[in-house]
Amino acid sequence: MTPLFRKAVWLLFAVSVCAFAGSLAAQYVLGMDPCVLCISQRLCVLATALCAAIVLACKPKSRVGGLSGAVFISIPAVTGISVAAYQLWLQSLPPGTAPSCGAPWTFRLKGWPLFDWFEPVVRGFGNCAEPDYLLGVALPVWSVAYFLAVVLTVWWAWARAK
């Protein structure tokens, strides 16, 4: 793995950890109530951080190894883009016409082993069709921007690696 690619993956790991911490702070400090789709995006951020950590731990040496690392990091990021885009579509619908976004994650995962450990990460009962804003921009827009930056950064770094 070239130094540029490694630095880019470190950057993605650090930004992903900060984004995950920010989502928890928004919920537990600012009092925002995340919806099912917000929790899904949070889990995609966490998965992106974990994938970046795994790529860093594996230290791919070849161009093909870097390619597999870029694909590995891109999978949760592209998933996050699709979830955030779906939430933006829901929020664009006229009030009262948006479909339900599903049962809360705490209800879905209640009987799972170690539920008490990860329950604070998946707790939330917000309405997916009601936008929350940060600096005047809807949160799913921030999510799309973050995930798009992840994908563009990892592929730019891979393409620049020699």
Side-chain angles (χ1 to χ4, degrees):
M1 180 170 18
T2 66
L4 174 67
F5 187 76
R6 187 161 179 79
K7 287 177 186 175
V9 174
W10 268 111
L11 175 69
L12 295 177
F13 173 75
V15 169
S16 297
V17 168
C18 290
F20 182 74
S23 74
L24 292 176
Q27 179 176 359
Y28 292 108
V29 176
L30 299 178
M32 293 180 170
D33 195 19
C35 67
V36 173
L37 296 177
C38 296
I39 299 294
S40 298
Q41 292 167 60
R42 177 186 293 174
L43 294 175
C44 287
V45 170
L46 181 60
T48 302
L50 291 175
C51 289
I54 290 168
V55 169
L56 288 169
C58 290
K59 298 181 183 176
K61 302 276 189 254
S62 68
R63 186 126 170 97
V64 173
L67 173 65
S68 60
V71 169
F72 191 58
I73 292 169
S74 295
I75 291 171
V78 170
T79 303
I81 289 172
S82 65
V83 171
Y86 177 67
Q87 186 173 9
L88 283 170
W89 174 75
L90 281 178
Q91 292 176 355
S92 73
L93 296 175
T97 61
S100 170
C101 53
W105 282 102
T106 49
F107 175 76
R108 297 178 193 185
L109 304 175
K110 187 70 173 162
W112 283 38
L114 305 176
F115 176 74
D116 293 336
W117 287 14
F118 64 83
E119 190 266 337
V121 174
V122 297
R123 181 185 312 142
F125 301 99
N127 182 354
C128 297
E130 292 179 12
D132 283 322
Y133 295 93
L134 178 66
L135 302 175
V137 178
L139 290 178
V141 174
W142 287 109
S143 291
V144 168
Y146 158 77
F147 289 121
L148 193 57
V150 167
V151 171
L152 292 175
T153 301
V154 75
W155 286 105
W156 171 82
W158 178 78
R160 298 276 310 205
K162 303 229 184 226

